[in-house]
Amino acid sequence: MNKNTIKTLFLLLVTSITNAQEITPFKEQFKTNIKGDFMLVSNNIVNRSASFQNPNSPSNETGPSAQLNDEYEMKYIDIDNDSSTFSSSSAALTLPVSNSKIVYAALYWSATYNSDASTQKSVNKYKITDKNRSKSLNEIKFKTPSSTSYQTVSEKIIYDGNKKDAPFFNSSPYAAFADVTAIVAAQNDPNGNYTVANIAATQGTIEGGVAAGWTLFVVYENDALSAKFISSYDGFAAANDEPITIDYSGFTAAQSGMIKAKIGLVALEGDHNLVGDSFLVKASQNKNFTKLETKTRKANGFFNSSITNENEMVMTREPNSKNTLGYDACTLTVPNEDNAVFNAETNGASLRLQASGDRYFMFFNVFSIESIPFETPKKTEIVAAVVAESTSVEPPVIKEVKKSKSK
């Protein structure tokens, strides 16, 4: 029995003991009805390092040649040649429709961070070599395509697992969020490379593997696109044997044509070579869930340490690793031939996370579906409504005032 087989059996044993846990309940962060769409821009910010491997160079070990995440010595990626940053990576936003308007932008980042440094002593045994946790979790640096310098952004910690009673204290995963709409929308052209810096993570090796990365979630408006309902949720959940379900509501699907629905997901700590994790979806009118897959994501190994859009890996990143070693981000259109999943009766959707062989942490997801257009009433309609309402009220009594005759 080789080392990978032993590790796989060990992880299977751990995940059979640890049930799925929604540690921070998922809550709706953003919702809109709009003629437009959304995009995710992502990259990892730690990478394998050895005497012959620079963490700034892409990690392309996939398939049988790839090791498990906790077998890699991990270091910060730092591409910006800026002495004020200790970690940095970039990725490009390219909106598919010209003259689009940014209506919302949110930056998410996540990592495993139990200490500043840790090392592996033997199989499944790790030792913290620097107990400090000296770097900020909720304050990072953000640079837009039109800027030559960083802006500091901070807002809220979604979850921090560095508490001794926390279920995953050994790896101490965390996730954070900042609304950056004002920064992104202020640019004349939002397209181009975005750089994120100073995301904190453990250096070295830890249980389950060091992982870290960031995602920019962008919603844009364009009258050339179909009307859509778009809603995003954030929280923190560990997906294992027991499924976690997230429900979306507040919309009515389009009433004609093939209805298109799209999903975006971001997760931490999925291994490329471990299977058993899956992602499923169903519409409100259906009883059964549909297990999703793409050309780059297997139905029984969906979270596989990659950054993908539909059926392709996204390579407009620096570094552009095929194996992002524990950071997963994807967007995909739900197969809906003959409206088999979503149809005109759909007014809700459910996403389901489950895993039996590879634990992963989900902290962000977004759902969009072509819907009945939501329009602001015209002025004449508002006036008509006011008039109709006023006629339903009894008119006031007007008393006649008689003038007195002059003498």
Side-chain angles (χ1 to χ4, degrees):
M1 184 178 295
N2 61 35
K3 183 169 64 174
N4 282 355
T5 303
I6 294 172
K7 282 183 170 284
T8 302
L9 291 174
F10 173 78
L11 287 171
L12 287 170
L13 174 61
V14 170
T15 52
S16 68
I17 295 171
T18 308
N19 292 328
Q21 293 170 300
E22 193 172 4
I23 304 168
T24 298
F26 278 89
K27 294 181 180 180
E28 189 173 71
Q29 182 68 40
F30 173 81
K31 178 171 67 177
T32 188
N33 288 278
I34 193 173
K35 286 186 175 181
D37 209 341
F38 76 85
M39 289 191 72
L40 300 183
V41 177
S42 306
N43 211 352
N44 60 324
I45 208 160
V46 292
N47 199 3
R48 49 84 185 106
S49 177
S51 57
F52 57 93
Q53 292 174 319
N54 188 309
N56 287 357
S57 63
S59 174
N60 294 325
E61 295 84 10
T62 60
S65 64
Q67 302 179 70
L68 297 178
N69 290 353
D70 56 6
E71 294 177 322
Y72 288 102
E73 179 83 11
M74 301 291 281
K75 298 293 182 183
Y76 286 123
I77 296 167
D78 197 8
I79 64 163
D80 61 6
N81 295 317
D82 186 331
S83 60
S84 70
T85 67
F86 57 83
S87 68
S88 61
S89 63
S90 68
L93 170 67
T94 305
L95 298 178
V97 185
S98 60
N99 299 317
S100 295
K101 176 186 176 182
I102 301 293
V103 297
Y104 181 72
L107 188 62
Y108 287 87
W109 61 98
S110 181
T112 50
Y113 187 36
N114 69 357
S115 61
D116 282 344
S118 175
T119 189
Q120 185 171 8
K121 302 299 291 183
S122 59
V123 176
N124 302 321
K125 290 186 179 181
Y126 303 86
K127 181 182 179 180
I128 292 175
T129 55
D130 185 343
K131 294 182 179 181
N132 292 318
R133 214 168 174 244
S134 62
K135 296 175 173 58
S136 173
L137 274 62
N138 72 322
E139 186 175 284
I140 62 169
K141 293 188 174 186
F142 181 54
K143 185 161 59 177
T144 65
S146 60
S147 177
T148 57
S149 60
Y150 285 105
Q151 297 185 56
T152 298
V153 299
S154 63
E155 192 152 335
K156 72 172 185 178
I157 299 294
I158 298 170
Y159 173 74
D160 181 9
N162 192 240
K163 298 176 183 178
K164 288 190 176 180
D165 58 345
F168 302 102
F169 173 72
N170 287 343
S171 58
S172 295
Y174 75 90
F177 153 87
D179 186 330
V180 292
T181 305
I183 299 173
V184 178
Q187 300 177 103
N188 291 329
D189 181 3
N191 294 313
N193 288 323
Y194 289 80
T195 307
V196 178
N198 285 4
I199 294 176
T202 300
Q203 302 296 279
T205 54
I206 62 172
E207 180 182 308
V210 176
W214 57 270
T215 292
L216 178 65
F217 166 52
V218 172
V219 179
Y220 59 96
E221 183 178 28
N222 195 299
D223 287 338
L225 300 176
S226 60
K228 295 179 183 69
F229 166 86
I230 302 174
S231 176
S232 68
Y233 278 62
D234 57 35
F236 201 88
N240 287 322
D241 288 335
E242 293 184 6
I244 294 169
T245 302
I246 301 166
D247 297 317
Y248 286 84
S249 61
F251 65 89
T252 300
Q255 299 297 290
S256 62
M258 188 183 79
I259 298 168
K260 293 182 181 179
K262 189 167 76 170
I263 294 168
L265 306 165
V266 187
L268 191 71
E269 228 257 51
D271 283 77
H272 180 80
N273 275 346
L274 293 180
V275 297
D277 54 89
S278 55
F279 177 72
L280 305 90
V281 65
K282 84 174 189 68
S284 53
Q285 76 277 4
N286 297 333
K287 291 183 178 180
N288 298 323
F289 281 84
T290 298
K291 188 176 285 189
L292 298 182
E293 63 180 326
T294 69
K295 291 180 180 179
T296 55
R297 296 179 181 272
K298 299 177 181 178
N300 194 39
F302 191 89
F303 294 95
N304 61 2
S305 290
S306 64
I307 294 173
T308 62
N309 179 33
E310 302 296 353
N311 289 305
E312 304 294 333
M313 286 192 176
V314 178
M315 302 305 288
T316 52
R317 300 175 287 118
E318 186 182 358
N320 56 357
S321 299
K322 293 180 180 178
N323 185 348
T324 45
L325 295 171
Y327 194 79
D328 254 289
C330 76
T331 56
L332 72 157
T333 299
V334 179
N336 196 36
E337 188 174 354
D338 298 325
N339 288 347
V341 178
F342 300 109
N343 59 35
E345 297 178 11
T346 302
N347 59 11
S350 297
L351 313 184
R352 176 163 287 182
L353 321 170
Q354 61 188 42
S356 60
D358 186 14
R359 181 187 70 200
Y360 61 91
F361 303 117
M362 169 73 69
F363 58 91
F364 172 83
N365 53 77
V366 54
F367 173 79
S368 80
I369 187 169
E370 291 181 319
S371 61
I372 292 177
F374 176 85
E375 297 180 358
T376 303
K378 296 178 182 178
K379 186 175 181 180
T380 53
E381 293 173 341
I382 296 173
V383 172
V386 172
V387 171
E389 183 178 353
S390 66
T391 57
S392 65
V393 180
E394 289 295 328
V397 177
I398 302 175
K399 294 182 179 180
E400 182 180 359
V401 178
K402 294 182 179 181
K403 296 181 179 178
S404 60
K405 294 180 180 180
S406 59
K407 292 183 181 180

